[in-house]
Amino acid sequence: MKVLVILGHPRTDSLCGALAEAYRDGARSSGAEVRSLELANLEFDPHVHTPSPNQQPLEDDLDAARELVAWADHLVFVFPTWWGTMPALLKGFLDRVMTPEFAFRSCEGGTGYEGLLQGRSAQLITTMDTPVLIHQLLYRQPGINAMARATLGFCGIRPVRSLMLGSVREADDRQREAWLERARQEGLRLEHGRESLRERATFKLGGWLQALRLQFYPMTFVAYTAGALAAAPDGGVSRNPVFWLGYLCLFLLEVATVLVNERVDFGSDRQNRFYSAFTGGSRVLVEGRLSLREINAGTSVALGGFAAAFAALLAVAPGDAGPMLWVTGVLAVLAIGYTAPPLKLSYRGLGEVDVALTHSLGVLLCGYVFLAGDWTDPLPWWLSLPLFLAIIPSITLSGIPDREADAAVAKRTLAVRLGNGGALGVALVFTGLAAVAGTAFHLTGWAQGAYAGIAYFVVPHAAWLIWMLWRERQRGAPGGRIDGLMAVSLAYVLWFGLVPLVNLAAA
């Protein structure tokens, strides 16, 4: 392991200097290769005088310092906390060294920035006159937060550990010796790796939560619940174990689906420049947060859990097992087959219809038959129609940011097949059709009045969305991110789930 210890105190003969030396001793004892940077001994201008720091030539000392940062696996910053944060010397060093195209770069996906120092970890050791507990609780450790999150974390460095020592003003020699020993022990910990078991577990847990893409699950729950309520079970659904067991089946099936998508779409995700929370996959494989082996294992666990939960559901559900088997079986095939071979529906130009069908009629019909409804009853079929129409715009629009990457791997979304303008046209037409269907159901009372009152919400929302879509087409339908359109189109879908849910619950 390669460790760089950076002393940010303007005096090398300080307590911070001694702490840096103690850490170096511990790190060397752990077997690490250790190098040092004492900022007080560097010749450089800490001020950025140009519009961009990249326009200001680096002094020789900063060139050498940047090479050391690039060399290191683990960065250690030792500095005093003055006025709640780092000294001007260290701040000036970071301003000059952590520059665009070295520490980070702008990109068109995610938050708009990408850290370039990934694969490195860091340790912060800071001294202060304020008692540590007061600094944490009252002042909320601004200097540590700035370094760990807004600087090092922003540049892709993780994890960032911190060791705060204080109050220096009230410390005697015995206390200072204890602090030096703590710094030495921090360096010695490197013999067990740069990450603790807890840090590795936290990182993996975050990766799994990112992979699950939980932002897509609420709509499934709303449609499923509407289907269950439409079956009119005695006592409602909230206290019905069959209802919750059925949703567990759908939840696990959705988990398996998004993980399969992650694996099959890896080629597209890796090339996608315009990813966001709703497009471009979760990127856990691209970012290395999870491995392909872990994704495959997670898929197997989810499918196994789905099979076990469905077997338990068949044992306790009041309806006939036959309709439950074929309804759930067809849903599972269509959901997994969105990207998984041999169907690979999204690669054959059927992905948008597949998503709209599974997330409307598919889950709604499951809720209906799980709660003993008859699948031949026209109610769940009519109930799902406006929702199906409303989903098409958002799933079609999601293909626009992904279009270049999808085309490169022969994924035939509507955006790839029709171009961005064609995809916007499809979204515009189906936005209008959904509004017409919702209004018709509102006026006629079809589907047992489940859509009563929906016209008051969807007509103005549809007009807003149609205007946005028309304006985008008039602009020439450029590619790239369309976050505003995505947000408005996804919100549009919610009306077609929430209004029936409220009306059926009140019936």
Side-chain angles (χ1 to χ4, degrees):
M1 184 187 307
K2 295 173 287 189
V3 178
L4 175 63
V5 179
I6 301 172
L7 176 59
H9 199 296
R11 289 187 292 105
T12 58
D13 60 342
S14 59
L15 175 59
C16 282
L19 290 167
E21 182 59 37
Y23 188 96
R24 285 194 294 267
D25 289 344
R28 289 191 182 101
S29 297
S30 76
E33 181 182 354
V34 183
R35 297 184 184 179
S36 299
L37 264 181
E38 295 178 344
L39 302 189
N41 295 329
L42 303 185
E43 293 289 338
F44 72 97
D45 184 349
H47 304 296
V48 177
H49 299 283
T50 56
S52 168
N54 281 347
Q55 296 172 329
Q56 187 168 331
L58 291 181
E59 295 84 349
D60 291 342
D61 282 353
L62 288 190
D63 260 329
R66 179 177 282 185
E67 289 178 5
L68 285 175
V69 171
W71 165 84
D73 300 314
H74 186 63
L75 302 172
V76 183
F77 294 86
V78 187
F79 59 94
T81 291
W82 292 343
W83 294 108
T85 187
M86 68 193 77
L89 176 65
L90 177 54
K91 180 64 167 62
F93 173 80
L94 294 172
D95 287 346
R96 295 294 314 282
V97 171
M98 299 298 200
T99 56
E101 306 308 323
F102 170 72
F104 68 94
R105 66 183 171 199
S106 60
C107 66
E108 296 175 88
T111 62
Y113 293 95
E114 178 185 9
L116 298 179
L117 299 181
Q118 297 177 11
R120 294 169 177 82
S121 54
Q123 169 78 61
L124 308 179
I125 301 176
T126 185
T127 60
M128 60 191 66
D129 282 338
T130 304
V132 171
L133 194 60
I134 296 297
H135 184 69
Q136 290 176 315
L137 299 181
L138 183 60
Y139 300 123
R140 301 186 181 181
Q141 55 187 46
I144 294 294
N145 289 336
M147 278 288 285
R149 300 176 185 175
T151 303
L152 301 179
F154 180 82
C155 296
I157 298 171
R158 61 144 301 275
V160 180
R161 295 174 181 164
S162 60
L163 173 61
M164 293 178 283
L165 305 172
S167 162
V168 172
R169 182 178 54 188
E170 300 173 357
D172 54 20
D173 290 343
R174 182 177 179 182
Q175 178 64 76
R176 292 175 182 241
E177 286 297 326
W179 286 341
L180 293 174
E181 179 58 23
R182 284 191 65 184
R184 194 185 77 82
Q185 290 297 323
E186 285 294 321
L188 195 59
R189 282 177 61 184
L190 294 177
E191 65 182 352
H192 302 297
R194 293 182 292 130
E195 294 179 282
S196 67
L197 179 60
R198 179 178 63 83
E199 288 165 339
R200 287 194 293 271
T202 300
F203 181 66
K204 284 300 180 184
L205 178 60
W208 281 113
L209 289 175
Q210 183 177 329
L212 293 181
R213 310 193 78 189
L214 295 176
Q215 63 267 33
F216 294 115
Y217 293 60
M219 198 60 230
T220 300
F221 179 77
V222 168
Y224 169 74
T225 305
L229 288 169
D234 294 335
V237 299
S238 62
R239 298 183 180 180
N240 191 328
V242 173
F243 169 79
W244 292 108
L245 190 56
Y247 180 67
L248 176 61
C249 293
L250 296 187
F251 179 86
L252 292 171
L253 179 59
E254 192 154 12
V255 170
T257 299
V258 297
L259 293 181
V260 168
N261 295 348
E262 196 69 29
R263 177 170 58 83
V264 178
D265 284 343
F266 175 64
S268 174
D269 294 345
R270 185 170 51 185
Q271 300 182 61
N272 198 321
R273 297 186 296 122
F274 304 108
Y275 57 89
S276 68
F278 295 99
T279 62
S282 74
R283 300 187 66 79
V284 292
L285 286 175
V286 176
E287 297 170 359
R289 300 203 65 171
L290 295 177
S291 67
L292 182 59
R293 182 178 180 181
E294 288 169 327
I295 290 290
N296 289 337
T299 304
S300 298
V301 169
L303 288 174
F306 164 72
F310 188 66
L313 178 66
L314 289 175
V316 300
D320 292 338
M324 291 174 60
L325 279 167
W326 79 257
V327 168
T328 308
V330 170
L331 176 66
V333 169
L334 291 177
I336 300 295
Y338 174 73
T339 53
L343 292 182
K344 298 191 73 169
L345 296 172
S346 62
Y347 287 77
R348 303 177 190 275
L350 298 172
E352 289 81 3
V353 173
D354 179 53
V355 170
L357 189 62
T358 55
H359 286 74
S360 59
L361 178 62
V363 294
L364 201 149
L365 198 56
C366 281
Y368 197 75
V369 300
F370 290 174
L371 275 296
D374 183 354
W375 73 273
T376 62
D377 190 325
L379 175 59
W381 298 80
W382 280 114
L383 192 60
S384 68
L385 177 60
L387 179 58
F388 170 84
L389 297 172
I391 292 173
I392 292 290
S394 59
I395 189 62
T396 301
L397 291 174
S398 70
I400 291 178
D402 301 347
R403 179 172 172 255
E404 292 179 8
D406 287 343
V409 297
K411 186 175 182 180
R412 292 178 56 77
T413 64
L414 286 178
V416 172
R417 296 167 63 197
L418 305 178
N420 293 340
L424 289 166
V426 169
L428 192 153
V429 169
F430 275 88
T431 297
L433 289 175
V436 169
T439 302
F441 278 53
H442 160 83
L443 294 175
T444 62
W446 289 343
Q448 296 185 359
Y451 285 95
I454 195 171
Y456 302 119
F457 305 103
V458 301
V459 170
H461 199 139
W464 180 25
L465 181 54
I466 287 172
W467 174 77
M468 292 182 69
L469 292 165
W470 180 262
R471 185 181 63 175
E472 195 72 12
R473 289 198 73 187
Q474 293 300 108
R475 291 177 57 231
R481 293 178 64 166
I482 49 170
D483 294 350
L485 266 177
M486 286 301 305
V488 175
S489 66
L490 288 165
Y492 185 60
V493 179
L494 289 176
W495 297 121
F496 295 86
L498 293 177
V499 171
L501 184 65
V502 171
N503 286 331
L504 290 168

